Amino acid sequence: MMNCIFCKIVNKKINSDVVYKDEIFIAFKDINPMAPIHILIIPKKHIASINHLKEDDKELVGGLILTAQKIAEQVGIREKGYKLAFNVGRGAGQMIDHLHLHILGGWENKE
Ligand code: AMP
Ligand code: ZN
């Protein structure tokens, strides 16, 4: 996708702070973090949103969530806790039409 900013990150046309990559996914720090740790995981393949997933994408979606678990471990929040979020559509705040999973964490415990 020529004009997709996340495809440009995949193709290294735009710099990003990459924290993880494999053959299928790439994860990088969100440029405008909403939590002390805010990472986005995307499939390298362009899929516009959750609404655009097909039956054949089942494995990819499972892999995406397992990759989130792996990255949470890598950045030290697996045991403490983290949030995973997909924004789906403009009404829910999706601004970039390339599927991405937000990992949010790193807060101090407020007890
Ligand atoms: P969403 O609102 O769910 O579409 O999330 C898009 C996210 O991408 C936002 O949290 C932005 O801060 C983030 N973002 C936009 N451009 C970049 C970029 N070049 N590098 C890293 N994160 C970005
Ligand atoms: Zn894309």
Side-chain angles (χ1 to χ4, degrees):
M1 281 298 229
M2 294 271 284
N3 286 320
C4 171
I5 190 165
F6 286 176
C7 283
K8 286 181 182 167
I9 285 177
V10 171
N11 296 319
K12 299 194 179 124
K13 301 265 192 286
I14 294 180
N15 285 330
S16 66
D17 199 342
V18 174
V19 298
Y20 175 89
K21 68 177 158 193
D22 60 28
E23 305 91 82
I24 302 164
F25 303 107
I26 179 163
F28 48 90
K29 291 185 185 167
D30 195 293
I31 208 168
N32 183 25
M34 305 295 278
I37 292 173
H38 188 173
I39 293 165
L40 303 173
I41 316 175
I42 67 171
K44 289 180 174 173
K45 170 183 160 187
H46 182 91
I47 299 172
S49 79
I50 289 280
N51 278 346
H52 296 76
L53 289 168
K54 305 273 194 309
E55 281 290 315
D56 283 355
D57 295 318
K58 273 182 185 166
E59 202 174 324
L60 181 130
V61 175
L64 184 58
I65 293 173
L66 285 171
T67 303
Q69 182 203 85
K70 205 183 285 183
I71 293 169
E73 168 88 39
Q74 183 188 311
V75 302
I77 57 173
R78 176 178 168 149
E79 300 308 326
K80 200 170 175 193
Y82 54 96
K83 294 185 191 191
L84 299 180
F86 291 105
N87 294 327
V88 188
R90 292 287 175 271
Q94 183 177 3
M95 298 304 290
I96 298 186
D97 293 333
H98 183 130
L99 184 67
H100 50 283
L101 178 56
H102 294 258
I103 306 179
L104 300 145
W107 304 282
E108 293 301 320
N109 280 343
K110 294 191 183 74
E111 288 175 47

